[in-house]
Amino acid sequence: MHSMIATASHPACSTVGDTDLCLPCGLARLDDRPPGLKLHRRRLQRQEALFRQGEEFRAIYAVRAGSLKTVMHAADGTEQVAGFHWAGEILGLDAIARDRYETTAVAMEDAEVLALPYPQAFGLEHGGLQALITRLLSREMVRERERLQLLSMYSAESRLAAFLVDLSRRMRGRGFSPVDFVLRATRAEIGSYLGLKLETVSRAFAGLQRKSLLQVDGKQVHLRDLPGLEHVGEVAEA
Amino acid sequence: MHSMIATASHPACSTVGDTDLCLPCGLARLDDRPPGLKLHRRRLQRQEALFRQGEEFRAIYAVRAGSLKTVMHAADGTEQVAGFHWAGEILGLDAIARDRYETTAVAMEDAEVLALPYPQAFGLEHGGLQALITRLLSREMVRERERLQLLSMYSAESRLAAFLVDLSRRMRGRGFSPVDFVLRATRAEIGSYLGLKLETVSRAFAGLQRKSLLQVDGKQVHLRDLPGLEHVGEVAEA
DNA sequence: CGTTATATTGATAGATATCAATACGGGTGG
DNA sequence: CCACCCGTATTGATATCTATCAATATAACG
């Protein structure tokens, strides 16, 4: 498979309407690199880990090219995909609280990241940078909560639809077609992220296709009705 | 019902092993109140809102007495309990990202909070304070993620058991009995928090009682087997 | 003390997981 | 270059779990 890596010198922010929360943007605004702040570049091969759950906190990372997933391992051996991350997004913020990474980050394709070594980023008191990171964290917290609401109140098809709409937005933000793209994740990974089994993900795809909301062929997806996907029937009342 | 409010001049941190992440502790360490940082006190009656989703971000709050719940309203009218909060805990951090509160906070009983007005807390650049808030946020993010994992991979009884174990820890942290306490939340609120219907919560209580792990009588709970509660059978493999 | 909110319990329906069989697809080695 | 193989995906039958609907009991509150 030819690596159709999403390189990003830096296209539009992946966070539409929230450009002030993009680290690369923020860094660009910070008097262009405060003195002493070294941005270390690192390349990753497919399946290579950027950091592992439990390792000591060294740095936060900005994705520059490719895509990564973060996986959370529970005490009982179960694991769950915590998130998918593309160019312009930040990894490792969850390590700040306890000085160790709380997830394992793995490249889903060949990728490149920028490392912000932790002591520099915080010890040197780049006031503006820390404020930015605070905002990023706050946003992430809200997102986790929204995802939680999605998982606890919506049907399998709704969840998959919401996932695809989110993906579509991020694709558009990175300059790609928002209706035609190739999934990097397997059904099992998507299911893990959405709290579903892989067979259920497969059936949900089939269901959305039957409703003419999209077309699927393996990992190739074509969204036919983006507005329709946003309104796929929710299920419960809390 | 006589208000058995949990007043906390400030007992042990609610976060066992994480005392450096407690705001009151942190503030005590910050050269005892930096000049210009005004901590405004506010009393709340049962059912009174501290802030509402969508309101402009004014301040973050530290709970000093009583307990609050935060509720998240989705676009489609559904709502979900996002969290329960007792003395020593912080509210409003989710408002940092977009300068508006992302949840509504309501007192579950008469309560008292300390307000840290936003511009002071950040504009005045109390470096140590901001670092503390960053750590708090990071921890919250991890917690949300763990809760998410709980919701997506575990059975109703497991979720309730985990909820009770968490509650137990927080009770102990606040100097109360970790095995004997009165729930402030209704079955519906607990259910909303755990992604379950109120009848299911009721049945889960009954099930745990049948297994001799606890005793329930309405809101009065007695945990008989704390270690046992931590190992209530999980259900799925991700 | 009555009225309303909350909780328990049962019967049933609906959704997703589980188990199983088959099909597809890409990479590797012959 | 093709064949084989293993990881992945689809689809069906069934089991399991939770939601829903409903009736009653209990507790909270004015």
Side-chain angles (χ1 to χ4, degrees):
Chain A
M1 165 142 292
H2 326 113
S3 61
M4 188 203 138
I5 293 190
T7 68
S9 49
H10 192 234
C13 254
S14 63
T15 54
V16 185
D18 270 335
T19 54
D20 58 324
L21 292 184
C22 165
L23 189 62
C25 292
L27 284 180
R29 233 181 283 126
L30 285 174
D31 359 310
D32 272 16
R33 217 170 302 141
L37 179 60
K38 281 239 164 18
L39 296 178
H40 196 276
R41 192 163 296 195
R42 179 167 166 193
R43 284 199 165 75
L44 295 165
Q45 293 188 316
R46 182 175 148 78
Q47 300 289 37
E48 191 180 345
L50 176 57
F51 51 76
R52 291 180 184 282
Q53 185 169 339
E55 279 178 9
E56 195 187 350
F57 185 24
R58 320 174 279 269
I60 61 177
Y61 299 90
V63 183
R64 286 195 53 86
S67 57
L68 305 256
K69 67 173 176 182
T70 43
V71 181
M72 193 179 171
H73 307 268
D76 57 14
T78 60
E79 64 179 57
Q80 183 176 27
V81 173
F84 300 107
H85 313 273
W86 285 273
E89 302 182 350
I90 305 301
L91 294 175
L93 292 174
D94 53 7
I96 294 173
R98 298 201 284 178
D99 282 314
R100 55 196 197 73
Y101 295 103
E102 304 286 349
T103 56
T104 297
V106 178
M108 298 184 63
E109 57 189 319
D110 291 358
E112 188 179 307
V113 299
L114 230 48
L116 276 93
Y118 176 64
Q120 269 100 324
F122 297 90
L124 295 184
E125 292 296 324
H126 300 303
L129 180 56
Q130 181 153 26
L132 177 67
I133 287 170
T134 303
R135 294 173 73 87
L136 278 167
L137 271 166
S138 180
R139 189 187 59 180
E140 280 311 307
M141 198 175 83
V142 174
R143 281 195 180 165
E144 290 294 328
R145 205 180 283 156
E146 285 168 348
R147 189 175 145 218
L148 201 149
Q149 183 157 29
L150 187 75
L151 290 222
S152 69
M153 308 185 52
Y154 295 86
S155 71
E157 278 189 22
S158 305
R159 295 186 217 178
L160 181 60
F163 172 73
L164 292 171
V165 168
D166 180 48
L167 234 122
S168 169
R169 287 215 188 87
R170 291 157 95 168
M171 286 306 218
R172 176 154 38 84
R174 282 159 49 228
F176 295 116
S177 166
V179 297
D180 253 310
F181 47 85
V182 175
L183 298 169
R184 287 268 119 72
T186 66
R187 299 289 188 264
E189 286 168 333
I190 296 172
S192 176
Y193 182 68
L194 295 176
L196 300 169
K197 293 297 160 188
L198 69 96
E199 297 96 327
T200 306
V201 173
S202 194
R203 284 185 240 268
F205 267 120
L208 295 175
Q209 183 163 256
R210 211 174 312 114
K211 290 170 182 143
S212 304
L213 292 169
L214 55 77
Q215 273 183 280
V216 209
D217 179 30
K219 304 206 161 177
Q220 179 68 51
V221 177
H222 173 70
L223 307 186
R224 290 182 152 269
D225 183 0
L226 220 23
L229 283 168
E230 305 202 47
H231 302 132
V232 176
E234 55 271 6
V235 156
E237 287 278 310
Chain B
M1 167 143 288
H2 327 112
S3 61
M4 187 203 139
I5 293 186
T7 67
S9 49
H10 192 235
C13 253
S14 63
T15 54
V16 186
D18 270 336
T19 54
D20 57 326
L21 292 183
C22 164
L23 189 62
C25 291
L27 285 178
R29 234 181 283 126
L30 285 174
D31 359 309
D32 272 17
R33 218 171 301 141
L37 179 60
K38 281 242 166 13
L39 297 178
H40 196 277
R41 189 163 298 192
R42 180 167 163 194
R43 286 200 164 74
L44 295 165
Q45 293 187 316
R46 182 176 150 76
Q47 300 289 38
E48 192 180 344
L50 177 56
F51 51 76
R52 291 179 184 282
Q53 186 169 340
E55 280 179 7
E56 195 188 349
F57 186 24
R58 318 175 281 269
I60 60 176
Y61 299 91
V63 183
R64 285 195 55 85
S67 58
L68 303 256
K69 66 173 176 182
T70 45
V71 180
M72 194 180 171
H73 306 269
D76 58 12
T78 59
E79 64 179 56
Q80 184 177 27
V81 172
F84 299 107
H85 313 274
W86 286 272
E89 302 181 350
I90 306 300
L91 294 175
L93 292 174
D94 53 7
I96 293 172
R98 296 202 286 176
D99 280 315
R100 55 195 196 74
Y101 294 103
E102 305 285 349
T103 55
T104 297
V106 178
M108 299 183 64
E109 58 189 316
D110 292 357
E112 190 179 307
V113 300
L114 231 47
L116 276 94
Y118 176 64
Q120 270 101 324
F122 296 91
L124 295 184
E125 292 295 324
H126 300 303
L129 181 55
Q130 182 153 26
L132 178 66
I133 286 170
T134 302
R135 293 173 76 86
L136 278 167
L137 271 166
S138 180
R139 190 187 57 180
E140 281 311 307
M141 199 175 82
V142 173
R143 281 197 180 163
E144 290 295 326
R145 203 179 285 154
E146 285 169 348
R147 188 175 145 218
L148 201 148
Q149 184 159 29
L150 187 73
L151 291 223
S152 69
M153 307 184 51
Y154 296 87
S155 70
E157 277 189 23
S158 305
R159 295 187 216 177
L160 181 60
F163 172 74
L164 291 171
V165 169
D166 179 49
L167 234 124
S168 169
R169 285 215 189 86
R170 291 157 95 170
M171 286 307 218
R172 176 154 39 82
R174 282 158 50 228
F176 294 115
S177 166
V179 297
D180 252 310
F181 48 84
V182 175
L183 298 169
R184 286 269 120 68
T186 66
R187 299 290 189 265
E189 286 168 331
I190 295 171
S192 175
Y193 181 70
L194 295 176
L196 301 169
K197 293 298 161 187
L198 69 95
E199 298 95 326
T200 306
V201 174
S202 194
R203 283 186 241 267
F205 266 120
L208 295 176
Q209 183 163 259
R210 211 173 313 114
K211 290 169 184 142
S212 304
L213 294 169
L214 54 77
Q215 272 183 282
V216 209
D217 179 30
K219 305 205 160 176
Q220 178 68 51
V221 177
H222 173 70
L223 306 185
R224 288 181 154 271
D225 183 359
L226 221 22
L229 282 168
E230 306 201 46
H231 303 132
V232 176
E234 52 272 7
V235 158
E237 286 280 309

